[in-house]
Amino acid sequence: SGTLPAPGSLTGRRVVITAGGTREPIDPVRYLGNRSSGKQGMALAAAALAEGATVELILAHVEVPAPDGVELVQVETAEELRTATLRAAKQADALIMAAAVADFRPAEQILTKIKKRADGVDPVITLVRNPDILREAVEQRTAAGAGPVIVGFAAETGDPTADPLSHAREKLARKGCDYLVLNQVGDGRVFGLDDTAATILDAGGTEPVEVIGTKAEVATAVVARVAAALAGRG
Ligand code: CTP
Ligand code: CA
């Protein structure tokens, strides 16, 4: 005999989470990467599991293990992440895009290792832009007439033109997702650390909510917003 787990706020829901950082090959031994550790994505997966969701985790390069009990899809490049994400999003109740997606990839696939040349001419790597997967997931939902609650993440520094919150508001509008989780970065903050401060922006117009604490606490807050949005839809 056993007792069934208590139903959580996401019982019966399917949540797709992208995590980690994509790697764009330069040649067979080198890549363009980024500093995403995957910790926030893993914390989101754990938080969604704890609320009873079925979780599909689409994993680019990560430095931490995935929680038990998720469906894992391993990817390398932004293009692979795109294919996996747009497919998974069709069946999902929520899509949480925590992955750090490379904005650019090398224009050419170089199939042999780049060697130093005897004539001293060094290589120039031309980059082309990757697709905006979050934007495409929103467009796919619009085209279908229905689809998942969609959450984006943004790491922003301020700059002379705007503060991080202004950049995040602009990004939320540009992407068309339902929520955008802002991490303020710079000065060694956020990347790879366990403690973080995040601001959850809501396209519905509710005032931004700031969460200061561990990535697990930020994940719990994000998952709670997703569950509330889904409950509101019935
Ligand atoms: N994202 C995506 N596809 C990309 C780039 C980003 O789906 N090619 C997603 C990320 O997973 C994240 C959100 O978009 O959830 C915001 O990422 P960010 O890099 O902040 O947005 P960009 O539009 O690339 O803006 P920026 O020029 O500031 O990097
Ligand atoms: Ca980017």
Side-chain angles (χ1 to χ4, degrees):
S1 72
T3 44
L4 289 168
S9 61
L10 291 173
T11 298
R13 302 292 194 179
R14 186 169 181 83
V15 177
V16 174
I17 299 169
T18 68
T22 66
R23 289 179 164 183
E24 310 297 318
I26 295 170
D27 71 10
V29 296
R30 305 182 180 97
Y31 59 83
L32 279 177
N34 62 66
R35 291 186 188 277
S36 175
S37 67
K39 285 180 179 175
Q40 186 65 74
M42 296 309 177
L44 287 159
L49 283 173
E51 287 301 323
T54 299
V55 176
E56 178 172 348
L57 197 49
I58 300 175
L59 274 192
H61 173 77
V62 293
E63 291 164 8
V64 289
D68 287 337
V70 298
E71 297 172 14
L72 268 188
V73 177
Q74 196 84 44
V75 298
E76 175 99 356
T77 63
E79 191 55 49
E80 290 170 15
L81 184 76
R82 175 196 195 206
T83 302
T85 301
L86 294 180
R87 182 185 25 72
K90 289 180 186 164
Q91 315 298 331
D93 296 296
L95 170 64
I96 306 180
M97 289 284 301
V101 183
D103 291 329
F104 311 100
R105 66 177 183 277
E108 308 172 63
Q109 272 273 90
I110 298 173
L111 300 176
T112 56
K113 184 184 171 190
I114 300 169
K115 304 288 285 179
K116 294 189 297 295
R117 283 169 48 153
D119 64 9
V121 177
D122 292 331
V124 174
I125 298 169
T126 303
L127 302 179
V128 294
R129 197 178 286 212
N130 274 326
D132 187 331
I133 301 160
L134 178 57
R135 179 82 211 131
E136 289 189 356
V138 170
E139 284 166 2
Q140 177 171 275
R141 178 177 71 176
T142 304
V149 171
I150 301 179
V151 183
F153 275 71
E156 302 285 352
T157 64
D159 59 38
T161 66
D163 61 17
L165 194 60
S166 308
H167 280 302
R169 285 188 206 280
E170 181 275 327
K171 191 166 283 181
L172 175 65
R174 175 159 51 85
K175 301 272 186 181
C177 53
D178 304 303
Y179 300 96
L180 189 80
V181 183
L182 163 67
N183 286 300
Q184 298 192 23
V185 294
D187 307 324
R189 275 178 289 173
V190 174
F191 285 113
L193 301 180
D194 290 318
D195 272 334
T196 189
T199 307
I200 305 174
L201 286 78
D202 179 351
T206 309
E207 279 301 293
V209 177
E210 185 160 33
V211 186
I212 298 169
T214 61
K215 289 190 176 180
E217 287 165 328
V218 170
T220 299
V222 171
V223 163
R225 299 304 292 269
V226 167
L230 287 170
R233 289 176 168 191

